[in-house]
Amino acid sequence: MSETIQVPTMAEMMAAGKAPEVLFWVGCSGSFDDRAKKITKAFVKLLNKAKVDFAVLGTEESCTGDPAKRAGNEMLFQMQAMTNIEVLNGYEIKKIVTACPHCFNTIKNEYPSLGGTYEVVHHTQFLKSLLEDGRLTVEGGKFKGKRITFHDPCYLGRANDVYEAPRELIQKLDAELVEMKSCKKRGLCCGAGGAQMFKEPEKGNKDVNIERTEQAIETKPEIIAAGCPFCNTMLTDGVKGKDKEGVIEVMDVAELIANAEDL
Amino acid sequence: MNYIPQILFAIVLLLGIGYFAKNINKLVRNIKLGKKVDRTDKKGERWANMARIALGQQKMVVRPIAGFLHIIVYVGFIIINIEVLEIIIDGLFGTHRVFATLGLGAAYDILIGSFEILAFLVLVSVIVFWLRRNIIKLKRFFYPEMKGWPKNDGNIILYFEMVLMILFLTMNGADFTLQQMGADHYVQAGAFPVSQFLVPLFEGLNEGTLIIIERTAWWLHIIGILVFLNYLYFSKHLHILLAFPNTWFANLEPKGQFENLESVTKEVKLMMDPDADPFAAPAEGEMEEEPEKFGASDVMDLNQVQLLNAYTCTECGRCTSECPASQTGKKLSPRKIMMDTRDRLEEVGKNIDKNGKFEDDGKQLLDDYITREELWACTTCNACVEACPVSINPLSIIMDMRRYLVMEQSAAPTELNNMMGNVENNGAPWPYNQMDRLNWKNE
Ligand code: SF4
Ligand code: SF4
């Protein structure tokens, strides 16, 4: 790696008497999961490149409580939420960006009534605005003409009606965006939501991620683009399950942009 | 003048409407067994939603064929009801085609003409619907929950509609023939673009027979409508009425936003407040409150909108056909969640009818109707909520029942208990140390 990445923490910022433009909420996946860590880094590189004044919470960040809430443990969720809100409010955070649609949804929609109100954006929305403001430029060269299909994360799409930001980014790469038979409002889940990520599926005749991967494969893509670390894992497993490794890559939209820029 | 038909008509009408009102009362009482929930904010948006989704059928056309046919039947039913108004007035006052005698002139012809065309289109659509259910056997009508009554119910409604339309056209055809014969009492009025083709069938019949045919069709048609009205309460067809309040009361927040339980907030705040004394005796005069039950194990634990949802469900299965769990052969079917909720609510209602108040019957929604396996198969993806043409939210019921399982019974699957243990102890769903959260930076 040529250059080292700059990742200031809120504690450091505070000590220096500074307040960042935006807080990057990394999330548990982005912090600990090997595949997701690559997405985190790709996004940070883009933030560095665009000279975004950002910070992370680092060791002061904790699970948003999403998997607990969706599993039915409202008590644990609210404990997590209130702990996080205390930290966020302590730093007087105004704006948050995250690469995880679950964190995005939870902080944006479920924190306000518990005392935590922030402007929350998904990293695809944030990248889109960086491009629009001319703070980041992207050349499509590498991905020109490649067939890319985008899998809508439930918690970004249906849950929050964000369908266009990730698609616009893919189109900026001069790639050929192909849609699966169920997409956008009717997008099929990857199978990980609602805390399913952490358990074996119930008895059935197929795994959800295989069903979804088959739909993706029908579009004959070179790349399946995702916007969620959990979807990424599920679809990567799906592609392996269908013996398409090496033929189809599963990549986060941030990785696509960072790759196009040779970061 | 002979008043007997009019008196008879008034009695039939009163009985029909009276029995219907009684059942509607029961329905309201049952819905009120649920918890109160405030859904009266943003009234403008609510009216707009109702206009778009219930009146405008916006979500039906997501599936173009069924959507188009459904709009015909729906428009047909609403418009033909203007004719029912005329029938009621005629029935009560012994008039015949009273609107025609009001001097509507050509407008009346257009009115009757369009009723006829609509009736014909309804008939065709209903036949196509019947074919889809019985000959083409569309998959979504054949899930396990669609056996027995739900299957018959679907067909009975279609037969009802066919018979009503045929009676309407027969009545008009006979009327038209009588008009041409110049029969007494049968005013020359109306255009009969469809039923004119029935005229050859009446060829050679004398006036008396024709009058009997016309009167029989007229009576059966109106009695049929009243029977249909009363059938609604026992049928998925209740949606023709409840779709309106149901879309009005629907959730307006983003679909991903699940409600934060206030009872939990209170407890968590107390837990996290360093000044709170957990052993403090309640203040003088303050009653020790019974701790609120978390989540739902029976219909009374659900809220009133969820119960209204259950009565509104048309059992169309659009939710289930979009459900990832259901598509991959899991037991979960969001339609079944709604049907079970209604069945249990009806059972509770009957229990109250019998005993005056609810007597424990040793049953509940959880386990006796909805199994844990179904509840744990949900990915909370909201596909069912998006798919429902009348804004029903099966996911909210699944979530409330999961809450009961986890918070009241500690009955989550082991892997989820591990996950929650990790969140509680290390702030992540996996067993990593919170202090390592920034390690990625240097890897
Ligand atoms: S939210 Fe649950 S029940 Fe509804 S479609 Fe998704 S998995 Fe099925
Ligand atoms: S919940 Fe909605 S989509 Fe599902 S069967 Fe009932 S009416 Fe149809």
Side-chain angles (χ1 to χ4, degrees):
Chain A
M1 210 157 287
S2 50
E3 46 175 340
T4 50
I5 49 174
Q6 301 297 317
V7 191
T9 63
M10 273 315 297
E12 291 162 8
M13 282 259 173
M14 182 91 147
K18 287 194 287 189
E21 164 190 349
V22 63
L23 175 85
F24 172 27
W25 183 276
V26 184
C28 300
S29 243
S31 304
F32 294 120
D33 179 82
D34 285 333
R35 178 67 189 85
K37 281 192 268 190
K38 294 191 184 142
I39 304 171
T40 307
K41 283 191 180 169
F43 182 58
V44 166
K45 284 178 194 164
L46 290 168
L47 292 176
N48 285 164
K49 172 130 197 278
K51 302 205 170 51
V52 175
D53 181 18
F54 78 100
V56 299
L57 285 176
T59 55
E60 290 182 277
E61 189 186 283
S62 186
C63 175
T64 59
D66 161 86
K69 185 174 181 95
R70 266 90 201 151
N73 197 336
E74 182 71 10
M75 193 68 85
L76 179 53
F77 159 71
Q78 291 201 12
M79 277 165 22
Q80 286 298 117
M82 288 196 202
T83 314
N84 283 324
I85 289 168
E86 240 174 55
V87 174
L88 291 167
N89 288 353
Y91 284 125
E92 295 180 14
I93 301 292
K94 302 267 163 350
K95 182 168 180 178
I96 299 174
V97 61
T98 174
C100 173
H102 295 267
C103 299
F104 165 72
N105 175 69
T106 306
I107 302 176
K108 174 174 167 286
N109 295 323
E110 288 162 359
Y111 278 22
S113 78
L114 299 172
T117 307
Y118 322 98
E119 182 194 348
V120 191
V121 292
H122 186 243
H123 70 319
T124 55
Q125 295 173 305
F126 194 73
L127 289 172
K128 185 183 157 229
S129 68
L130 289 180
L131 287 170
E132 279 168 359
D133 299 346
R135 295 172 70 181
L136 194 65
T137 50
V138 47
E139 311 251 329
K142 251 187 170 169
F143 293 99
K144 195 167 177 154
K146 286 218 172 179
R147 283 175 77 85
I148 302 181
T149 187
F150 179 70
H151 163 80
D152 288 284
C154 302
Y155 277 87
L156 185 64
R158 259 191 306 275
N160 288 293
D161 288 320
V162 179
Y163 301 103
E164 291 314 319
R167 288 182 166 79
E168 280 176 34
L169 290 176
I170 293 170
Q171 274 156 343
K172 286 253 162 50
L173 298 169
D174 289 333
E176 188 191 344
L177 177 65
V178 284
E179 296 290 356
M180 291 182 241
K181 74 168 179 218
S182 45
C183 63
K184 299 188 184 166
K185 275 186 190 311
R186 294 180 77 177
L188 181 71
C189 177
C190 71
Q196 296 293 342
M197 182 74 189
F198 307 99
K199 60 184 262 300
E200 284 302 312
E202 272 48 51
K203 203 159 60 50
N205 50 32
K206 206 187 226 177
D207 282 341
V208 177
N209 65 328
I210 297 289
E211 175 76 20
R212 184 53 166 170
T213 308
E214 286 173 357
Q215 289 189 357
I217 292 174
E218 273 174 28
T219 68
K220 304 196 175 49
E222 286 154 88
I223 295 166
I224 301 174
C228 167
F230 295 107
C231 300
N232 198 307
T233 305
M234 295 308 264
L235 295 169
T236 306
D237 288 349
V239 168
K240 274 188 206 145
K242 301 296 298 178
D243 283 327
K244 292 277 183 194
E245 291 167 280
V247 191
I248 301 176
E249 254 188 295
V250 181
M251 291 179 81
D252 190 89
V253 177
E255 293 179 302
L256 292 174
I257 307 279
N259 261 358
E261 288 299 287
D262 268 326
L263 293 176
Chain B
M1 224 183 164
N2 183 359
Y3 289 104
I4 293 176
Q6 281 162 260
I7 295 168
L8 218 60
F9 184 85
I11 293 174
V12 169
L13 195 66
L14 268 178
L15 281 179
I17 293 177
Y19 190 61
F20 176 68
K22 186 170 156 247
N23 279 330
I24 288 295
N25 254 332
K26 208 178 268 184
L27 181 126
V28 171
R29 177 202 70 191
N30 289 356
I31 288 176
K32 285 199 172 149
L33 294 173
K35 292 189 188 157
K36 281 214 175 75
V37 52
D38 186 19
R39 292 273 179 85
T40 49
D41 57 332
K42 305 190 206 163
K43 293 207 169 59
E45 207 178 319
R46 295 188 178 283
W47 287 112
N49 265 351
M50 189 174 98
R52 242 176 350 102
I53 301 172
L55 198 65
Q57 307 261 302
Q58 186 201 43
K59 290 208 155 183
M60 282 306 293
V61 289
V62 172
R63 303 204 173 173
I65 301 178
F68 180 67
L69 295 171
H70 187 271
I71 286 185
I72 293 180
V73 176
Y74 163 78
V75 172
F77 251 74
I78 290 194
I79 296 194
I80 296 171
N81 272 329
I82 303 177
E83 171 66 13
V84 174
L85 193 67
E86 184 180 48
I87 292 181
I88 291 178
I89 298 177
D90 283 346
L92 288 176
F93 298 100
T95 48
H96 186 70
R97 295 198 179 266
V98 65
F99 290 172
T101 54
L102 292 180
L104 288 176
Y108 188 77
D109 291 356
I110 295 173
L111 214 59
I112 296 294
S114 38
F115 292 158
E116 285 223 335
I117 293 172
L118 272 170
F120 179 70
L121 290 175
V122 168
L123 192 58
V124 173
S125 305
V126 168
I127 291 173
V128 178
F129 278 144
W130 185 87
L131 291 172
R132 283 157 60 90
R133 263 174 202 270
N134 297 283
I135 308 292
I136 308 174
K137 296 200 193 269
L138 237 59
K139 189 171 160 231
R140 65 183 154 108
F141 299 123
F142 287 88
Y143 284 88
E145 68 264 24
M146 295 309 285
K147 293 205 183 91
W149 172 245
K151 177 168 190 266
N152 296 338
D153 183 23
N155 280 328
I156 290 172
I157 292 161
L158 296 178
Y159 298 139
F160 245 120
E161 291 174 9
M162 286 182 214
V163 170
L164 286 179
M165 291 305 114
I166 290 171
L167 286 170
F168 176 68
L169 291 172
T170 310
M171 170 183 102
N172 276 355
D175 194 301
F176 184 46
T177 315
L178 284 162
Q179 287 182 23
Q180 285 174 328
M181 291 171 131
D184 232 18
H185 204 59
Y186 286 87
V187 278
Q188 295 274 348
F192 303 92
V194 178
S195 62
Q196 61 179 350
F197 295 105
L198 298 176
V199 171
L201 294 178
F202 303 128
E203 203 116 19
L205 298 182
N206 64 29
E207 192 179 308
T209 318
L210 272 172
I211 292 179
I212 292 176
I213 294 177
E214 192 273 337
R215 284 290 91 192
T216 311
W218 187 93
W219 273 97
L220 287 179
H221 180 244
I222 187 67
I223 291 174
I225 286 175
L226 290 172
V227 172
F228 193 65
L229 185 70
N230 281 288
Y231 178 74
L232 293 184
Y233 178 71
F234 306 95
S235 159
K236 65 161 188 136
H237 222 57
L238 209 40
H239 78 275
I240 64 172
L241 303 174
L242 296 187
F244 293 88
N246 202 68
T247 46
W248 199 89
F249 285 114
N251 176 35
L252 297 178
E253 305 306 325
K255 291 193 191 64
Q257 176 176 335
F258 296 6
E259 145 223 31
N260 292 330
L261 286 186
E262 261 175 62
S263 47
V264 172
T265 312
K266 261 187 262 160
E267 290 212 14
V268 173
K269 283 214 167 114
L270 206 64
M271 254 190 287
M272 293 183 56
D273 180 2
D275 301 327
D277 175 3
F279 303 108
E284 195 84 29
E286 202 177 295
M287 289 286 283
E288 184 92 63
E289 284 182 63
E290 199 178 315
E292 206 178 315
K293 175 174 172 182
F294 296 132
S297 62
D298 208 347
V299 286
M300 300 78 118
D301 306 324
L302 295 171
N303 70 44
Q304 299 180 354
V305 171
Q306 289 170 317
L307 299 184
L308 173 63
N309 278 184
Y311 275 122
T312 308
C313 177
T314 76
E315 300 170 14
C316 71
R318 290 176 180 225
C319 51
T320 295
S321 73
E322 298 278 316
C323 170
S326 183
Q327 281 180 36
T328 54
K330 319 284 192 287
K331 250 196 186 161
L332 171 63
S333 159
R335 167 174 54 193
K336 176 174 175 291
I337 301 285
M338 300 320 300
M339 293 168 68
D340 285 344
T341 305
R342 177 171 176 175
D343 288 348
R344 172 61 184 159
L345 183 54
E346 271 299 295
E347 184 175 61
V348 169
K350 292 212 179 84
N351 183 314
I352 296 175
D353 289 341
K354 197 169 129 222
N355 304 312
K357 63 178 187 22
F358 181 68
E359 300 277 356
D360 189 4
D361 57 356
K363 283 204 219 165
Q364 56 175 5
L365 184 60
L366 178 69
D367 296 331
D368 295 307
Y369 287 82
I370 299 173
T371 63
R372 296 164 194 230
E373 184 179 340
E374 291 163 68
L375 296 173
W376 291 117
C378 173
T379 71
T380 70
C381 72
N382 264 307
C384 50
V385 183
E386 176 62 43
C388 181
V390 287
S391 305
I392 287 169
N393 188 338
L395 171 56
S396 72
I397 296 181
I398 297 174
M399 277 312 306
D400 281 340
M401 296 184 76
R402 278 190 182 183
R403 284 171 170 166
Y404 174 82
L405 284 175
V406 172
M407 291 193 284
E408 294 285 346
Q409 300 219 306
S410 307
T414 321
E415 302 138 295
L416 288 188
N417 277 331
N418 293 341
M419 177 273 286
M420 292 187 284
N422 287 326
V423 170
E424 198 167 349
N425 300 320
N426 348 307
W430 300 286
Y432 294 109
N433 192 324
Q434 186 161 2
M435 285 303 127
D436 295 336
R437 237 182 143 93
L438 198 50
N439 291 3
W440 55 270
K441 173 180 159 185
N442 303 312
E443 279 170 7

PDB file of all heavy atoms in Angstrom, chain B residues 319 322-326 332-334 337 377-385 394-395 398, ligand 1:
ATOM      1  N   CYS B 319     -48.173 -10.770  -0.441  1.00  0.00           N
ATOM      2  CA  CYS B 319     -47.104 -10.691   0.568  1.00  0.00           C
ATOM      3  C   CYS B 319     -46.282 -11.974   0.560  1.00  0.00           C
ATOM      4  O   CYS B 319     -45.058 -11.954   0.498  1.00  0.00           O
ATOM      5  CB  CYS B 319     -47.706 -10.455   1.944  1.00  0.00           C
ATOM      6  SG  CYS B 319     -49.009 -11.612   2.377  1.00  0.00           S
ATOM      7  N   GLU B 322     -43.895 -12.622  -2.285  1.00  0.00           N
ATOM      8  CA  GLU B 322     -42.676 -11.815  -2.314  1.00  0.00           C
ATOM      9  C   GLU B 322     -41.752 -12.141  -1.134  1.00  0.00           C
ATOM     10  O   GLU B 322     -40.656 -11.613  -1.045  1.00  0.00           O
ATOM     11  CB  GLU B 322     -43.024 -10.320  -2.232  1.00  0.00           C
ATOM     12  CG  GLU B 322     -43.856  -9.791  -3.376  1.00  0.00           C
ATOM     13  CD  GLU B 322     -43.028  -9.448  -4.618  1.00  0.00           C
ATOM     14  OE1 GLU B 322     -41.963  -8.832  -4.477  1.00  0.00           O
ATOM     15  OE2 GLU B 322     -43.472  -9.813  -5.724  1.00  0.00           O
ATOM     16  N   CYS B 323     -42.204 -12.973  -0.235  1.00  0.00           N
ATOM     17  CA  CYS B 323     -41.456 -13.218   1.004  1.00  0.00           C
ATOM     18  C   CYS B 323     -40.267 -14.142   0.751  1.00  0.00           C
ATOM     19  O   CYS B 323     -40.440 -15.245   0.243  1.00  0.00           O
ATOM     20  CB  CYS B 323     -42.392 -13.834   2.052  1.00  0.00           C
ATOM     21  SG  CYS B 323     -41.549 -14.448   3.522  1.00  0.00           S
ATOM     22  N   PRO B 324     -39.054 -13.708   1.097  1.00  0.00           N
ATOM     23  CA  PRO B 324     -37.886 -14.546   0.837  1.00  0.00           C
ATOM     24  C   PRO B 324     -37.941 -15.882   1.581  1.00  0.00           C
ATOM     25  O   PRO B 324     -37.496 -16.909   1.063  1.00  0.00           O
ATOM     26  CB  PRO B 324     -36.704 -13.696   1.323  1.00  0.00           C
ATOM     27  CG  PRO B 324     -37.295 -12.661   2.215  1.00  0.00           C
ATOM     28  CD  PRO B 324     -38.685 -12.420   1.709  1.00  0.00           C
ATOM     29  N   ALA B 325     -38.501 -15.860   2.787  1.00  0.00           N
ATOM     30  CA  ALA B 325     -38.575 -17.098   3.561  1.00  0.00           C
ATOM     31  C   ALA B 325     -39.523 -18.069   2.863  1.00  0.00           C
ATOM     32  O   ALA B 325     -39.221 -19.245   2.666  1.00  0.00           O
ATOM     33  CB  ALA B 325     -39.040 -16.797   4.975  1.00  0.00           C
ATOM     34  N   SER B 326     -40.670 -17.543   2.485  1.00  0.00           N
ATOM     35  CA  SER B 326     -41.659 -18.384   1.839  1.00  0.00           C
ATOM     36  C   SER B 326     -41.164 -18.893   0.477  1.00  0.00           C
ATOM     37  O   SER B 326     -41.361 -20.053   0.133  1.00  0.00           O
ATOM     38  CB  SER B 326     -42.945 -17.572   1.691  1.00  0.00           C
ATOM     39  OG  SER B 326     -43.942 -18.349   1.130  1.00  0.00           O
ATOM     40  N   LEU B 332     -42.753 -20.003   7.103  1.00  0.00           N
ATOM     41  CA  LEU B 332     -43.345 -18.675   7.250  1.00  0.00           C
ATOM     42  C   LEU B 332     -44.127 -18.240   6.008  1.00  0.00           C
ATOM     43  O   LEU B 332     -43.642 -18.362   4.895  1.00  0.00           O
ATOM     44  CB  LEU B 332     -42.230 -17.656   7.534  1.00  0.00           C
ATOM     45  CG  LEU B 332     -42.620 -16.171   7.516  1.00  0.00           C
ATOM     46  CD1 LEU B 332     -43.625 -15.866   8.605  1.00  0.00           C
ATOM     47  CD2 LEU B 332     -41.383 -15.302   7.684  1.00  0.00           C
ATOM     48  N   SER B 333     -45.337 -17.754   6.236  1.00  0.00           N
ATOM     49  CA  SER B 333     -46.104 -17.095   5.180  1.00  0.00           C
ATOM     50  C   SER B 333     -46.780 -15.890   5.820  1.00  0.00           C
ATOM     51  O   SER B 333     -47.622 -16.050   6.703  1.00  0.00           O
ATOM     52  CB  SER B 333     -47.161 -18.043   4.623  1.00  0.00           C
ATOM     53  OG  SER B 333     -48.178 -17.307   3.974  1.00  0.00           O
ATOM     54  N   PRO B 334     -46.406 -14.677   5.410  1.00  0.00           N
ATOM     55  CA  PRO B 334     -47.004 -13.498   6.056  1.00  0.00           C
ATOM     56  C   PRO B 334     -48.534 -13.481   5.952  1.00  0.00           C
ATOM     57  O   PRO B 334     -49.212 -13.007   6.853  1.00  0.00           O
ATOM     58  CB  PRO B 334     -46.363 -12.314   5.320  1.00  0.00           C
ATOM     59  CG  PRO B 334     -45.569 -12.876   4.198  1.00  0.00           C
ATOM     60  CD  PRO B 334     -45.356 -14.316   4.463  1.00  0.00           C
ATOM     61  N   ILE B 337     -49.871 -15.337   8.807  1.00  0.00           N
ATOM     62  CA  ILE B 337     -49.797 -14.561  10.048  1.00  0.00           C
ATOM     63  C   ILE B 337     -51.075 -13.733  10.199  1.00  0.00           C
ATOM     64  O   ILE B 337     -51.690 -13.688  11.271  1.00  0.00           O
ATOM     65  CB  ILE B 337     -48.561 -13.615  10.035  1.00  0.00           C
ATOM     66  CG1 ILE B 337     -47.253 -14.406   9.864  1.00  0.00           C
ATOM     67  CG2 ILE B 337     -48.534 -12.701  11.252  1.00  0.00           C
ATOM     68  CD1 ILE B 337     -46.785 -15.155  11.056  1.00  0.00           C
ATOM     69  N   ALA B 377     -38.145 -17.401  11.101  1.00  0.00           N
ATOM     70  CA  ALA B 377     -37.695 -17.463   9.709  1.00  0.00           C
ATOM     71  C   ALA B 377     -37.711 -16.099   9.021  1.00  0.00           C
ATOM     72  O   ALA B 377     -37.225 -15.953   7.914  1.00  0.00           O
ATOM     73  CB  ALA B 377     -38.569 -18.439   8.926  1.00  0.00           C
ATOM     74  N   CYS B 378     -38.271 -15.096   9.691  1.00  0.00           N
ATOM     75  CA  CYS B 378     -38.438 -13.784   9.046  1.00  0.00           C
ATOM     76  C   CYS B 378     -37.120 -13.017   9.010  1.00  0.00           C
ATOM     77  O   CYS B 378     -36.390 -12.980   9.990  1.00  0.00           O
ATOM     78  CB  CYS B 378     -39.491 -12.982   9.803  1.00  0.00           C
ATOM     79  SG  CYS B 378     -39.658 -11.285   9.255  1.00  0.00           S
ATOM     80  N   THR B 379     -36.832 -12.389   7.861  1.00  0.00           N
ATOM     81  CA  THR B 379     -35.608 -11.591   7.742  1.00  0.00           C
ATOM     82  C   THR B 379     -35.888 -10.099   7.956  1.00  0.00           C
ATOM     83  O   THR B 379     -35.027  -9.271   7.733  1.00  0.00           O
ATOM     84  CB  THR B 379     -34.955 -11.753   6.353  1.00  0.00           C
ATOM     85  OG1 THR B 379     -35.771 -11.080   5.388  1.00  0.00           O
ATOM     86  CG2 THR B 379     -34.811 -13.207   5.946  1.00  0.00           C
ATOM     87  N   THR B 380     -37.099  -9.769   8.330  1.00  0.00           N
ATOM     88  CA  THR B 380     -37.545  -8.379   8.526  1.00  0.00           C
ATOM     89  C   THR B 380     -37.282  -7.512   7.293  1.00  0.00           C
ATOM     90  O   THR B 380     -36.968  -6.337   7.403  1.00  0.00           O
ATOM     91  CB  THR B 380     -36.889  -7.688   9.760  1.00  0.00           C
ATOM     92  OG1 THR B 380     -35.506  -7.454   9.506  1.00  0.00           O
ATOM     93  CG2 THR B 380     -37.031  -8.527  11.004  1.00  0.00           C
ATOM     94  N   CYS B 381     -37.448  -8.118   6.123  1.00  0.00           N
ATOM     95  CA  CYS B 381     -37.062  -7.428   4.886  1.00  0.00           C
ATOM     96  C   CYS B 381     -38.114  -6.454   4.381  1.00  0.00           C
ATOM     97  O   CYS B 381     -37.858  -5.694   3.457  1.00  0.00           O
ATOM     98  CB  CYS B 381     -36.773  -8.450   3.797  1.00  0.00           C
ATOM     99  SG  CYS B 381     -38.272  -9.233   3.182  1.00  0.00           S
ATOM    100  N   ASN B 382     -39.316  -6.493   4.957  1.00  0.00           N
ATOM    101  CA  ASN B 382     -40.387  -5.579   4.557  1.00  0.00           C
ATOM    102  C   ASN B 382     -40.986  -5.833   3.180  1.00  0.00           C
ATOM    103  O   ASN B 382     -41.758  -5.015   2.668  1.00  0.00           O
ATOM    104  CB  ASN B 382     -39.923  -4.114   4.627  1.00  0.00           C
ATOM    105  CG  ASN B 382     -40.323  -3.463   5.934  1.00  0.00           C
ATOM    106  OD1 ASN B 382     -41.478  -3.489   6.326  1.00  0.00           O
ATOM    107  ND2 ASN B 382     -39.354  -2.904   6.633  1.00  0.00           N
ATOM    108  N   ALA B 383     -40.627  -6.934   2.542  1.00  0.00           N
ATOM    109  CA  ALA B 383     -41.190  -7.218   1.215  1.00  0.00           C
ATOM    110  C   ALA B 383     -42.702  -7.407   1.311  1.00  0.00           C
ATOM    111  O   ALA B 383     -43.449  -6.976   0.438  1.00  0.00           O
ATOM    112  CB  ALA B 383     -40.543  -8.457   0.608  1.00  0.00           C
ATOM    113  N   CYS B 384     -43.160  -8.032   2.391  1.00  0.00           N
ATOM    114  CA  CYS B 384     -44.607  -8.251   2.558  1.00  0.00           C
ATOM    115  C   CYS B 384     -45.332  -6.929   2.709  1.00  0.00           C
ATOM    116  O   CYS B 384     -46.394  -6.721   2.139  1.00  0.00           O
ATOM    117  CB  CYS B 384     -44.863  -9.147   3.770  1.00  0.00           C
ATOM    118  SG  CYS B 384     -44.031  -8.655   5.282  1.00  0.00           S
ATOM    119  N   VAL B 385     -44.748  -6.034   3.490  1.00  0.00           N
ATOM    120  CA  VAL B 385     -45.383  -4.744   3.736  1.00  0.00           C
ATOM    121  C   VAL B 385     -45.479  -3.958   2.428  1.00  0.00           C
ATOM    122  O   VAL B 385     -46.499  -3.342   2.119  1.00  0.00           O
ATOM    123  CB  VAL B 385     -44.565  -3.940   4.776  1.00  0.00           C
ATOM    124  CG1 VAL B 385     -45.259  -2.631   5.104  1.00  0.00           C
ATOM    125  CG2 VAL B 385     -44.345  -4.769   6.034  1.00  0.00           C
ATOM    126  N   PRO B 394     -47.696  -7.314   8.146  1.00  0.00           N
ATOM    127  CA  PRO B 394     -47.532  -8.586   8.863  1.00  0.00           C
ATOM    128  C   PRO B 394     -46.262  -8.598   9.709  1.00  0.00           C
ATOM    129  O   PRO B 394     -46.215  -9.226  10.769  1.00  0.00           O
ATOM    130  CB  PRO B 394     -47.409  -9.635   7.737  1.00  0.00           C
ATOM    131  CG  PRO B 394     -47.919  -8.966   6.498  1.00  0.00           C
ATOM    132  CD  PRO B 394     -47.648  -7.506   6.673  1.00  0.00           C
ATOM    133  N   LEU B 395     -45.238  -7.868   9.244  1.00  0.00           N
ATOM    134  CA  LEU B 395     -43.960  -7.862   9.951  1.00  0.00           C
ATOM    135  C   LEU B 395     -44.105  -7.343  11.376  1.00  0.00           C
ATOM    136  O   LEU B 395     -43.442  -7.836  12.298  1.00  0.00           O
ATOM    137  CB  LEU B 395     -42.951  -7.008   9.149  1.00  0.00           C
ATOM    138  CG  LEU B 395     -41.622  -6.680   9.791  1.00  0.00           C
ATOM    139  CD1 LEU B 395     -40.872  -7.934  10.226  1.00  0.00           C
ATOM    140  CD2 LEU B 395     -40.747  -5.867   8.828  1.00  0.00           C
ATOM    141  N   ILE B 398     -45.085 -10.129  13.616  1.00  0.00           N
ATOM    142  CA  ILE B 398     -43.956 -11.048  13.817  1.00  0.00           C
ATOM    143  C   ILE B 398     -42.994 -10.473  14.859  1.00  0.00           C
ATOM    144  O   ILE B 398     -42.562 -11.154  15.783  1.00  0.00           O
ATOM    145  CB  ILE B 398     -43.222 -11.296  12.479  1.00  0.00           C
ATOM    146  CG1 ILE B 398     -44.154 -11.985  11.487  1.00  0.00           C
ATOM    147  CG2 ILE B 398     -41.934 -12.097  12.699  1.00  0.00           C
ATOM    148  CD1 ILE B 398     -43.599 -12.163  10.094  1.00  0.00           C
TER     149      ILE B 398
HETATM  150  S1  SF4 C   1     -40.536  -9.163   6.468  1.00  0.00           S
HETATM  151 FE1  SF4 C   1     -40.500 -11.322   7.091  1.00  0.00          FE
HETATM  152  S2  SF4 C   1     -42.540 -12.068   6.608  1.00  0.00           S
HETATM  153 FE2  SF4 C   1     -42.316 -10.151   5.524  1.00  0.00          FE
HETATM  154  S3  SF4 C   1     -41.576 -10.744   3.507  1.00  0.00           S
HETATM  155 FE3  SF4 C   1     -39.759 -10.335   4.732  1.00  0.00          FE
HETATM  156  S4  SF4 C   1     -39.187 -12.313   5.590  1.00  0.00           S
HETATM  157 FE4  SF4 C   1     -41.277 -12.520   4.827  1.00  0.00          FE
END
